[in-house]
């Protein structure tokens, strides 16, 4: 924990500006690693996942590690392959028994082998001068991280599909895999009323059922609400 705080203080604290703030708003975790697997930068979601230590953590040298022994070896290979130029993906089991994290590793272009990158005037994030050069972009997705629909998502649904407030609440909960009886109970509605709202949502959104609605809502769930505070650390 101390090592993670030191590294994040040396990099994240100076990685400010609109792009860094935008990455902090992402629901998915985003981490930049050097070729050896050391953390260079992490957005807010990635910080929270690493601090939880449930599947992934930073060791005393600041290297990204997996808690499961077999997974640890696979993670090292994934990062190594990505640093060499090939993307890959893998699941990361959690000791708590929760749904496995999904990791996607993508190589970052740099150096003479990537002329397009050399033409850029500035790096995508203003990293500390002493920070290692990022070689791998790691995207961390937590399947359990979207279980509670937020008000901002409901407002987006209203604005995009012309839903009423009640329809947006039903849509957000239904799209997260909750059955209509549970949706009705959570909102204090009769099941028939919840079903009517759901049918109107399907019609307005141009979808044929809950599965298609879930895919639409997933695309609108990429950002955190602007009012979220870093205090939840």
């Amino acid at each position: 924990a101390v090592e993670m705080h030191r590294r994040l203080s040396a990099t994240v604290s100076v990685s400010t500006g609109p792009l860094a703030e935008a990455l902090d708003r992402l629901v998915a975790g985003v981490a930049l690693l050097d070729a050896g697997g050391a953390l260079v930068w992490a957005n807010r979601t990635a910080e929270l996942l690493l601090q939880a230590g449930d599947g992934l953590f930073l060791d005393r040298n600041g290297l990204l590690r997996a808690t499961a022994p077999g997974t640890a070896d696979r993670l090292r290979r994934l990062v190594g392959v990505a640093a060499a130029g090939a993307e890959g993906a893998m699941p990361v089991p959690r000791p708590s028994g929760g749904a496995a994290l999904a990791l996607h590793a993508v190589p970052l272009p740099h150096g003479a082998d990537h002329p397009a990158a050399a033409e850029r005037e500035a790096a995508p994030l203003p990293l500390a001068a002493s920070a290692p050069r990022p070689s791998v972009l790691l995207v961390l997705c937590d399947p359990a991280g979207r279980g509670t629909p937020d008000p901002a998502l409901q407002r987006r649904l209203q604005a995009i599909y012309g839903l009423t407030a009640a329809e947006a609440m039903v849509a957000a909960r239904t799209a997260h895999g909750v059955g209509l009886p549970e949706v009705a109970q959570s909102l204090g509605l009769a099941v028939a009323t919840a079903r009517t709202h759901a049918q109107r949502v399907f019609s307005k959104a141009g979808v044929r059922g809950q599965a298609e609605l879930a895919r639409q809502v997933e695309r609108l769930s990429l950002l955190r609400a602007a009012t979220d505070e870093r205090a939840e650390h």
Side-chain angles (χ1 to χ4, degrees):
V2 172
E3 176 63 22
M4 178 176 175
H5 177 75
R6 184 186 69 79
R7 284 183 169 260
L8 291 177
S9 296
T11 56
V12 179
S13 61
V14 298
S15 298
T16 58
L19 182 54
E21 292 177 8
L23 290 174
D24 269 344
R25 290 281 303 280
L26 290 177
V27 171
V30 176
L32 302 181
L33 308 177
D34 69 11
L39 179 69
V40 176
W41 186 89
N43 75 344
R44 178 187 181 194
T45 302
E47 287 181 45
L48 294 174
L49 289 172
L50 292 173
Q51 287 176 352
D54 189 13
L56 292 172
F57 67 98
L58 291 182
D59 69 12
R60 63 196 307 173
N61 297 313
L63 298 175
L64 184 67
R65 300 297 190 194
T67 51
T71 305
D73 293 337
R74 189 176 176 185
L75 176 61
R76 282 193 291 270
R77 290 195 297 270
L78 178 73
V79 173
V81 169
E87 68 178 84
M90 62 175 285
V92 176
R94 291 166 139 173
S96 67
L101 297 173
L103 266 61
H104 183 197
V106 181
L108 290 176
H110 59 80
D113 292 337
H114 302 278
E119 294 175 0
R120 296 174 183 169
E121 295 182 358
L125 284 172
L127 301 171
S130 60
R133 187 180 185 88
S135 298
V136 177
L137 168 66
L138 195 66
V139 180
L140 305 86
C141 295
D142 180 4
R146 298 181 184 177
T148 303
D150 62 86
L153 171 60
Q154 293 170 19
R155 290 192 293 272
R156 289 174 210 146
L157 292 172
Q158 288 181 259
I160 293 172
Y161 298 122
L163 305 182
T164 65
E167 289 168 354
M169 287 190 290
V170 170
R173 285 161 174 76
T174 301
H176 281 78
V178 181
L180 281 177
E182 290 82 0
V183 170
Q185 183 177 14
S186 67
L187 297 177
L189 302 174
V191 176
T193 302
R195 183 173 293 109
T196 297
H197 286 322
Q199 291 300 325
R200 289 175 179 167
V201 169
F202 298 155
S203 177
K204 292 180 179 181
V207 299
R208 291 174 291 182
Q210 186 172 349
E212 287 189 19
L213 177 64
R215 287 193 292 271
Q216 296 279 30
V217 173
E218 179 76 8
R219 298 185 181 101
L220 300 174
S221 304
L222 300 178
L223 295 179
R224 294 178 179 274
T227 53
D228 281 357
E229 298 290 340
R230 300 189 70 88
E232 69 185 76
H233 282 242

